[in-house]
Structures are given as structure tokens and as C-alpha cells.
Amino acid sequence: MRPLTNNDIESELSYAYLHAVASRVGASCSIANRALDGNGIDAAITGWGPFQGGGYLEEVTIHVQLKATISVPVEQNGHLSYFLSEVKRYNDLRVDTVSVPRILVVMFLPADATKWLTISPNELILKKCAYWTSLRGAKASTNKTGETVYLPTAQILDANNLTDIFTRLSRKEILTYTQP
């Protein structure tokens, strides 16, 4: 058996991050099966309400495409850039003909792999964080290899923002793409 590559480890850490945030708000987080993965879905998160300030829906699900990178993003007008290397994945995320909303979650890790994870008797530290965006409503790609997307710096995937996503979805709000 071969050890995991750094890319594999980055991916696994992004799953751990997603599970930790979902667990913090009492939500379910499940890894997608092969069929879902083939359609750009790595995980599904389900939250249960009632949600404070929310609508009438008391169970909401969101599909997640997870990415992790050591690349340093460019910050522009409150957004971080990320090159999504597959046009198919980009298109999977921007469609508006699905019943379950989709988001892209990108985890930015330090360049030095020895700083990704620190464990001690008092702390478990996973360095840096992940940001989320919806690509629904994004323009069609004219590229063959991928598309640069922009993640709002205010949209760190944390307990507060995940709860906000659930609240918005409980009101049947449509999450849409914003760029600088």
C-alpha cells in the first residue's frame, strides 16, 4: 500500500474541517457516494431547525464540493481568488436546475505541510480555514481548463455562517454568486 500524497492529505483535512463545523452546529455531514461525486458533490450537510429568524422549513440540506489548496489566493475587493481546474465542476456548481443547493468550499492551507495539523493534550489545531460560495448564477465559462472563482472573505465556513446558510435555506432563499 502506498502512503497518501500531499494532495490526498489536503483533501482529507478538508473533509475533517467540514465534519467539525457541521458537528459544531448539530448538523449531519455525510460523504458522497460515487454517483454524487461524479456530479460534483463531495458531501451533503443537513441541518434541523427551527432556525432563529428562519422560515417554515425545519430540515434543509446542502451539497458541497470540497477543495483544498496550499496556493496563496489573491485578495481583491473582499474576495479570495481560487482557480477551479475543471470546467465540468464549475458548471455542476452553477446550475439552477437542482433541488438541493450546492456550494463550493475551499480550504486554504499553509504551504508548509508540517504546519497543517498540530495535536497536543490541550489542543487540536488545523491551520488556516475554508471559505464558501455559491456559484449559482455565475457566468458560463469560456475556458477549456477551468475558471477562477471568488470567495467572499466574510464567508468563512464556520458555525455562524453554516447556521446562516441553513436559516436562509429554511426561508427558501436562493444562494447566488457574487464576485468583486
Side-chain angles (χ1 to χ4, degrees):
M1 184 178 285
R2 296 181 308 163
L4 295 177
T5 67
N6 273 357
N7 284 344
D8 294 332
I9 296 168
E10 290 172 22
S11 178
E12 291 300 319
L13 289 173
S14 70
Y15 280 109
Y17 181 100
L18 186 68
H19 276 272
V21 173
S23 295
R24 180 64 187 95
V25 300
S28 163
C29 182
S30 58
I31 304 304
N33 61 34
R34 188 178 312 252
L36 289 172
D37 184 53
N39 285 290
I41 299 165
D42 292 320
I45 305 173
T46 300
W48 295 274
F51 303 100
Q52 186 173 4
Y56 71 94
L57 294 178
E58 292 190 8
E59 179 180 295
V60 294
T61 298
I62 190 151
H63 285 155
V64 179
Q65 170 73 181
L66 279 170
K67 298 294 181 186
T69 184
I70 61 169
S71 297
V72 177
V74 173
E75 185 171 351
Q76 177 184 352
N77 298 324
H79 289 73
L80 301 174
S81 65
Y82 175 75
F83 185 75
L84 188 57
S85 62
E86 298 175 64
V87 173
K88 180 184 180 332
R89 289 293 176 247
Y90 176 78
N91 287 331
D92 287 342
L93 288 164
R94 54 181 290 282
V95 298
D96 60 2
T97 55
V98 294
S99 63
V100 178
R102 298 176 179 194
I103 61 171
L104 171 66
V105 173
V106 180
M107 183 171 185
F108 293 97
L109 292 162
D112 181 352
T114 64
K115 297 189 176 177
W116 293 349
L117 183 66
T118 306
I119 300 170
S120 75
N122 296 320
E123 298 176 310
L124 169 66
I125 302 169
L126 180 58
K127 289 290 178 134
K128 294 212 175 178
C129 67
Y131 297 84
W132 75 273
T133 192
S134 169
L135 293 181
R136 186 173 178 161
K139 64 180 174 59
S141 177
T142 57
N143 298 323
K144 300 281 188 229
T145 58
E147 190 70 36
T148 300
V149 297
Y150 299 91
L151 300 113
T153 56
Q155 291 182 184
I156 292 175
L157 187 68
D158 61 13
N160 289 335
N161 281 331
L162 183 56
T163 299
D164 182 61
I165 290 170
F166 289 149
T167 300
R168 292 168 65 188
L169 294 177
S170 78
R171 295 191 302 249
K172 295 262 198 187
E173 187 176 325
I174 296 172
L175 306 174
T176 57
Y177 186 56
T178 59
Q179 65 182 45

